[in-house]
Amino acid sequence: MAFEKIKVANPIVEMDGDEMTRIFWQSIKDKLILPFLDLDIKYFDLGLTHRDATDDKVTTESAEATLKYSCCLNHFVFRYNVAIKCATITPDEARMKEFNLKQMWRSPNGTIRNILNGTVFREPILCKNIPRLIPGWTKPICIGRHAFGDQYRATDTVIKGPGKLKLMFGKLPLLRDIPEGKDEKMEFEVFNFTGEGGVAIAMYNTDESIRAFAEASMNTAYEKKWPLYLSTKNTILKKYDGRFKDIFQEVYEAHWKSKYEAAGIWYEHRLIDDMVAYALKSEGGYVWACKNYDGDVQSDFLAQGFGSLGLMTSVLVCPDGKTIEAEAAHGTVTRHYRVHQRGGETSTNSIASIFAWTRGLAHRAKLDDNAKLLEFTQKLEEACIGTVESGKMTKDLALILHGPKLARNHYLNTEEFIDAVAAELKAKLC
């Protein structure tokens, strides 16, 4: 029996990607999304070849489209609000040569995150039959990674020879509203190089972005009814990390304390080293707010502890609470793509990319009050998990289960797995 497609009233922004993820991304659309949804997609090709051809303008355009205002026939103005992104290549020297690039373009994720601002929330996709490297983690852990500034927008340099390194800040001379006597420059001596030289870095963040990070983290923990922890190294970076600690406490006291107490949850700041030790000993069941670099590292630690990078959701939540970008929390699976290029069989885990679609579309459903679409996304996620729990999975997950005894009959190839999920989904939708 033919399935009547669900009408999705408003568009989503699709950001296509690279290599193996690009291959199965198309299969996900063809087999799991488009047969069931009447969906308007605003498509942007973020494959490295096209990024190079457009001088990387397409990356900026895709992020701006997510924030773009559009009009319906009745002149109601809305934002697209929802982006769904495939994994992309961040080029290095080897990629420069491989793709004959004009220049070494920046990380597309970094560019998009700095335009959208906000916080990346990542948490595991739990399958009962996939063992965990940390068996004590009986509940999920959600990491909130601040997706603005710090090392990812830093200015770094190599210092040649002796000299004095200084950090300076001065008010913009064109600003006319600076109070009298308040336009003086601030100057800090960082280090006096006396030998051959070394390296230096300057990085920043803003009160506005830290406050948005705090609000997003507090809101996510409150919705989940889980406690919230912020980790920093404020004992060393007393002013930099101390600012994160102070703003989080201000936001908590002003807007969330009474709500948290009524819900029986709490907020607490911990040192990053103490928090890592606590995480290893805990059973899970909390939101962990991390600065940008810490979140980058600890989200991979979290993924491996729960079993696989292929079993992890990743959603960037913007300060307005309405705009999101959902993505897979892994790379483009280059090794598998090389096999695919040679015509060989691959068994690549597409679950994180499927969940990028479901989480993005679920947010679209909530914004549009579309109950049928929301139900569809839930059933697609259930189909993914159900397929794995029935014993049908890709090689990476089968290897966790079978170890050195792994045989070809223990796993499906890339397309077979997506077909198995499609069959499970159709059964749920009937």
Side-chain angles (χ1 to χ4, degrees), residues 131 393-406 410-411:
M393 63 192 73
T394 46
K395 187 176 181 179
D396 60 314
L397 301 181
L399 187 61
I400 297 172
L401 282 174
H402 301 285
K405 296 181 180 179
L406 179 71
H410 290 144
Y411 61 88

Side-chain angles (χ1 to χ4, degrees), residues 16-27 45-49 86-92 94-95 98-99 330-341 346 348 353 414-415:
D16 208 348
D18 288 295
E19 298 190 322
M20 199 63 215
T21 45
R22 187 183 182 98
I23 300 297
F24 66 63
W25 187 263
Q26 187 62 48
S27 294
D45 183 359
L46 267 57
L48 186 52
T49 301
C86 181
T88 47
I89 293 171
T90 298
D92 58 11
R95 297 294 199 170
E98 178 186 349
F99 287 88
H330 56 67
T332 58
V333 205
T334 304
R335 185 169 56 85
H336 288 203
Y337 184 60
R338 299 300 184 221
V339 175
H340 172 79
Q341 285 179 310
T346 62
T348 314
S353 292
T414 305
E415 291 299 324

